CSV table of all heavy atoms in Angstrom, one decimal:
chain,number,residue,atom,x,y,z
E,1,PHE,N,48.6,-162.6,-91.1
E,1,PHE,CA,48.2,-162.9,-92.4
E,1,PHE,C,48.1,-164.4,-92.7
E,1,PHE,O,48.7,-165.2,-92.0
E,1,PHE,CB,49.3,-162.3,-93.4
E,1,PHE,CG,49.5,-160.8,-93.3
E,1,PHE,CD1,50.5,-160.4,-92.4
E,1,PHE,CD2,48.6,-160.0,-93.9
E,1,PHE,CE1,50.7,-159.0,-92.3
E,1,PHE,CE2,48.8,-158.6,-93.7
E,1,PHE,CZ,49.8,-158.0,-92.9
E,2,HIS,N,47.4,-164.8,-93.8
E,2,HIS,CA,47.2,-166.2,-94.1
E,2,HIS,C,47.6,-166.3,-95.6
E,2,HIS,O,47.6,-165.4,-96.4
E,2,HIS,CB,45.7,-166.6,-94.0
E,2,HIS,CG,45.2,-166.4,-92.6
E,2,HIS,ND1,45.5,-167.3,-91.6
E,2,HIS,CD2,44.5,-165.4,-92.0
E,2,HIS,CE1,45.0,-166.9,-90.4
E,2,HIS,NE2,44.4,-165.7,-90.6
E,3,SER,N,47.9,-167.6,-96.0
E,3,SER,CA,48.1,-167.9,-97.4
E,3,SER,C,46.7,-168.2,-98.0
E,3,SER,O,45.8,-167.4,-97.8
E,3,SER,CB,49.0,-169.1,-97.5
E,3,SER,OG,48.6,-170.2,-96.8
E,4,TYR,N,46.5,-169.3,-98.7
E,4,TYR,CA,45.1,-169.5,-99.2
E,4,TYR,C,44.1,-169.7,-98.1
E,4,TYR,O,44.4,-170.5,-97.2
E,4,TYR,CB,45.1,-170.8,-100.2
E,4,TYR,CG,43.8,-170.8,-100.9
E,4,TYR,CD1,43.7,-170.1,-102.1
E,4,TYR,CD2,42.7,-171.5,-100.5
E,4,TYR,CE1,42.5,-170.2,-102.9
E,4,TYR,CE2,41.5,-171.5,-101.2
E,4,TYR,CZ,41.4,-170.9,-102.4
E,4,TYR,OH,40.3,-170.9,-103.1
E,5,HIS,N,43.0,-168.9,-98.1
E,5,HIS,CA,42.2,-168.9,-97.1
E,5,HIS,C,40.7,-168.4,-97.5
E,5,HIS,O,40.7,-167.6,-98.4
E,5,HIS,CB,42.7,-167.8,-96.0
E,5,HIS,CG,42.0,-167.9,-94.7
E,5,HIS,ND1,42.0,-168.9,-93.8
E,5,HIS,CD2,41.3,-166.8,-94.1
E,5,HIS,CE1,41.3,-168.6,-92.8
E,5,HIS,NE2,40.9,-167.4,-92.8
E,6,ALA,N,39.7,-168.9,-96.9
E,6,ALA,CA,38.3,-168.4,-97.2
E,6,ALA,C,38.0,-167.1,-96.4
E,6,ALA,O,37.5,-167.2,-95.3
E,6,ALA,CB,37.3,-169.5,-96.9
E,7,ARG,N,38.4,-166.0,-97.0
E,7,ARG,CA,38.2,-164.7,-96.3
E,7,ARG,C,36.7,-164.3,-96.5
E,7,ARG,O,36.1,-164.6,-97.5
E,7,ARG,CB,39.1,-163.6,-96.9
E,7,ARG,CG,40.6,-163.9,-96.6
E,7,ARG,CD,41.5,-163.2,-97.5
E,7,ARG,NE,43.0,-163.4,-97.1
E,7,ARG,CZ,43.7,-164.4,-97.5
E,7,ARG,NH1,43.1,-165.4,-98.3
E,7,ARG,NH2,44.9,-164.5,-97.1
E,8,GLY,N,36.2,-163.5,-95.5
E,8,GLY,CA,34.9,-163.1,-95.7
E,8,GLY,C,34.5,-162.2,-94.4
E,8,GLY,O,35.3,-162.0,-93.5
E,9,ALA,N,33.4,-161.5,-94.5
E,9,ALA,CA,32.9,-160.7,-93.4
E,9,ALA,C,31.3,-160.8,-93.4
E,9,ALA,O,30.7,-160.3,-94.4
E,9,ALA,CB,33.4,-159.3,-93.6
E,10,THR,N,30.8,-161.2,-92.3
E,10,THR,CA,29.4,-161.2,-92.1
E,10,THR,C,29.1,-161.2,-90.6
E,10,THR,O,30.1,-161.3,-89.8
E,10,THR,CB,28.7,-162.3,-92.8
E,10,THR,OG1,27.3,-162.1,-92.9
E,10,THR,CG2,28.8,-163.7,-92.1
E,11,GLU,N,27.9,-161.1,-90.2
E,11,GLU,CA,27.6,-161.1,-88.8
E,11,GLU,C,28.1,-162.3,-88.1
E,11,GLU,O,27.8,-163.5,-88.5
E,11,GLU,CB,26.0,-161.1,-88.6
E,11,GLU,CG,25.6,-161.0,-87.1
E,11,GLU,CD,24.1,-161.0,-87.0
E,11,GLU,OE1,23.5,-160.1,-87.3
E,11,GLU,OE2,23.6,-162.1,-86.5
E,12,GLY,N,28.9,-162.1,-87.1
E,12,GLY,CA,29.5,-163.2,-86.3
E,12,GLY,C,30.6,-164.0,-87.0
E,12,GLY,O,31.1,-164.9,-86.4
E,13,ASP,N,31.1,-163.5,-88.1
E,13,ASP,CA,32.1,-164.2,-88.8
E,13,ASP,C,33.0,-163.3,-89.6
E,13,ASP,O,32.7,-163.0,-90.8
E,13,ASP,CB,31.5,-165.3,-89.7
E,13,ASP,CG,32.6,-166.2,-90.4
E,13,ASP,OD1,33.8,-166.3,-90.0
E,13,ASP,OD2,32.2,-166.9,-91.4
E,14,ILE,N,34.1,-162.8,-89.0
E,14,ILE,CA,35.0,-161.9,-89.8
E,14,ILE,C,36.3,-162.7,-90.0
E,14,ILE,O,37.0,-163.0,-89.0
E,14,ILE,CB,35.3,-160.6,-88.9
E,14,ILE,CG1,33.9,-159.9,-88.6
E,14,ILE,CG2,36.2,-159.7,-89.7
E,14,ILE,CD1,33.1,-159.4,-89.8
E,15,ARG,N,36.7,-162.8,-91.2
E,15,ARG,CA,37.9,-163.4,-91.6
E,15,ARG,C,38.6,-162.5,-92.6
E,15,ARG,O,38.4,-162.6,-93.8
E,15,ARG,CB,37.7,-164.8,-92.2
E,15,ARG,CG,37.3,-165.9,-91.2
E,15,ARG,CD,36.9,-167.2,-91.8
E,15,ARG,NE,35.4,-167.2,-92.3
E,15,ARG,CZ,34.9,-168.1,-93.1
E,15,ARG,NH1,35.7,-169.0,-93.6
E,15,ARG,NH2,33.6,-168.0,-93.4
E,16,ASP,N,39.4,-161.7,-92.1
E,16,ASP,CA,40.0,-160.5,-92.9
E,16,ASP,C,41.4,-160.2,-92.5
E,16,ASP,O,41.6,-159.9,-91.3
E,16,ASP,CB,39.1,-159.3,-92.7
E,16,ASP,CG,39.5,-158.1,-93.5
E,16,ASP,OD1,40.3,-158.3,-94.4
E,16,ASP,OD2,39.1,-156.9,-93.2
E,17,ASP,N,42.3,-160.4,-93.4
E,17,ASP,CA,43.8,-160.0,-93.2
E,17,ASP,C,44.2,-158.9,-94.1
E,17,ASP,O,45.4,-158.9,-94.3
E,17,ASP,CB,44.6,-161.2,-93.2
E,17,ASP,CG,44.7,-161.9,-94.6
E,17,ASP,OD1,43.9,-161.4,-95.5
E,17,ASP,OD2,45.5,-162.7,-94.8
E,18,GLY,N,43.3,-158.1,-94.6
E,18,GLY,CA,43.7,-157.1,-95.5
E,18,GLY,C,43.9,-157.5,-96.9
E,18,GLY,O,44.3,-156.6,-97.8
E,19,THR,N,43.6,-158.8,-97.3
E,19,THR,CA,43.8,-159.3,-98.6
E,19,THR,C,42.5,-159.2,-99.4
E,19,THR,O,41.5,-159.7,-99.0
E,19,THR,CB,44.2,-160.7,-98.6
E,19,THR,OG1,45.4,-160.8,-97.8
E,19,THR,CG2,44.5,-161.3,-100.0
E,20,ILE,N,42.5,-158.5,-100.5
E,20,ILE,CA,41.4,-158.2,-101.4
E,20,ILE,C,41.5,-159.1,-102.7
E,20,ILE,O,42.6,-159.3,-103.2
E,20,ILE,CB,41.3,-156.7,-101.9
E,20,ILE,CG1,41.2,-155.8,-100.7
E,20,ILE,CG2,40.3,-156.5,-102.9
E,20,ILE,CD1,39.8,-155.9,-100.0
E,21,ALA,N,40.4,-159.8,-103.0
E,21,ALA,CA,40.4,-160.6,-104.3
E,21,ALA,C,39.5,-159.9,-105.3
E,21,ALA,O,38.3,-159.7,-105.0
E,21,ALA,CB,39.8,-161.9,-103.9
E,22,PRO,N,40.0,-159.4,-106.4
E,22,PRO,CA,39.2,-158.7,-107.4
E,22,PRO,C,38.0,-159.5,-107.8
E,22,PRO,O,36.9,-158.8,-108.1
E,22,PRO,CB,40.2,-158.5,-108.6
E,22,PRO,CG,41.5,-158.4,-107.9
E,22,PRO,CD,41.4,-159.4,-106.8
E,23,THR,N,38.0,-160.8,-107.8
E,23,THR,CA,36.8,-161.6,-108.3
E,23,THR,C,35.7,-161.4,-107.4
E,23,THR,O,34.5,-161.5,-107.8
E,23,THR,CB,37.2,-163.1,-108.4
E,23,THR,OG1,36.1,-163.8,-109.0
E,23,THR,CG2,37.5,-163.6,-107.0
E,24,ALA,N,35.9,-161.0,-106.2
E,24,ALA,CA,34.8,-160.8,-105.2
E,24,ALA,C,33.9,-159.7,-105.6
E,24,ALA,O,32.6,-159.9,-105.7
E,24,ALA,CB,35.3,-160.6,-103.8
E,25,ALA,N,34.5,-158.6,-106.0
E,25,ALA,CA,33.7,-157.4,-106.4
E,25,ALA,C,33.2,-157.6,-107.9
E,25,ALA,O,32.0,-157.4,-108.2
E,25,ALA,CB,34.4,-156.1,-106.3
E,26,ALA,N,34.0,-158.2,-108.7
E,26,ALA,CA,33.7,-158.3,-110.1
E,26,ALA,C,32.6,-159.3,-110.4
E,26,ALA,O,31.7,-159.1,-111.1
E,26,ALA,CB,34.9,-158.7,-110.9
C-alpha cells in the first residue's frame, strides 16, 4: 500500500493498491 500517490491504470502503467478516489469517477 501507499500513502499519497498518483494511482492509475493504462497500457504499460498500472499503479493500483486497491485505493479508490471518488473524485476520479465523479
Side-chain angles (χ1 to χ4, degrees):
F1 300 97
H2 302 281
S3 54
Y4 192 86
H5 190 64
R7 295 163 174 85
T10 195
E11 182 184 290
D13 184 16
I14 305 295
R15 288 172 274 168
D16 180 15
D17 66 350
T19 303
I20 297 293
T23 189

